[in-house]
Amino acid sequence: DSGVTQTPKHLITATGQRVTLRCSPRSGDLSVYWYQQSLDQGLQFLIQYYNGEERAKGNILERFSAQQFPDLHSELNLSSLELGDSALYFCASSPPGLNEKLFFGSGTQLSVL
Amino acid sequence: DQQVKQNSPSLSVQEGRISILNCDYTNSMFDYFLWYKKYPAEGPTFLISISSIKDKNEDGRFTVFLNKSAKHLSLHIVPSQPGDSAVYFCAGVAQGAQKLVFGQGTRLTINP
């Protein structure tokens, strides 16, 4: 158990819909990262938050947004969903001062039908 | 732009033998490299890392080698055990950057 909690584990929805993925980092970790893993793709970095502020952005679509709340949990919002958004979405957290070592949650499997 | 590439999608090795997983990168700014291991239905877990100032780092059965001139790193597992069957991701990170850049992963299967 990495200590990073992601909910829900599975999500099935239809095209055009909007979903919210939730992540609780490890106790004491201030950074939260979101990654997307599509079929045959590696882990694609989406976005990072540090103590409530956006710190880095990857190839995140404009239809996607995220935030980190004062209690440090984070949400990833995906809207106007398309078939190609079907993927495994991982959240990770890292201890202060150790950005290289990420602790990953078990992921949310999103299926867009 | 695939900055980190793992060209072998899969690898099959006999139990007890050596497993060698390879990774190439293009970003010269990377100064730290990591290997992660992923079992089905779980998130990736950190395995071993290496700084760009070193060419080898060893931790038990796992050794990572870095060849900076070739922009290549490899993970050696010896002896390989059935529990090593998993997907292995290599990743690079540049100093000051906030994100790890991952390869596509290699599925390792250890056969009894």
Side-chain angles (χ1 to χ4, degrees), chain A residues 2 31 33 35 37 40-45 48 55-59 88 90 99-107, chain B residues 1-2 31-32 34 36 38 41-46 87 89 93-105:
Chain A
S2 67
S31 285
Y33 304 75
Y35 280 84
Q37 185 185 12
D40 296 331
Q41 295 288 319
L43 294 156
Q44 302 292 320
F45 172 73
Q48 182 216 355
R55 183 63 66 91
K57 217 168 186 177
N59 296 325
L88 195 50
F90 286 106
N99 289 336
E100 301 87 8
K101 189 170 179 180
L102 304 185
F103 294 85
F104 283 84
S106 56
Chain B
D1 177 24
Q2 196 74 33
D31 61 355
Y32 203 74
L34 305 92
Y36 279 77
K38 183 184 179 307
E42 295 182 12
T45 55
F46 170 77
V87 176
F89 292 96
V93 60
Q95 186 178 18
Q98 302 297 326
K99 62 176 185 179
L100 267 64
V101 180
F102 285 87
Q104 307 96 310

Side-chain angles (χ1 to χ4, degrees), chain A residues 44-93:
Chain A
Q44 302 292 320
F45 172 73
L46 295 178
I47 198 164
Q48 182 216 355
Y49 279 83
Y50 179 85
N51 203 20
E53 294 189 2
E54 182 184 304
R55 183 63 66 91
K57 217 168 186 177
N59 296 325
I60 186 168
L61 300 173
E62 285 191 12
R63 299 184 287 109
F64 296 1
S65 64
Q67 54 184 328
Q68 186 179 26
F69 295 87
D71 67 351
L72 300 178
H73 92 270
S74 178
E75 293 182 355
L76 179 66
N77 300 296
L78 315 176
S79 61
S80 303
L81 284 168
E82 302 175 0
L83 295 177
D85 297 328
S86 295
L88 195 50
Y89 291 84
F90 286 106
C91 168
S93 70

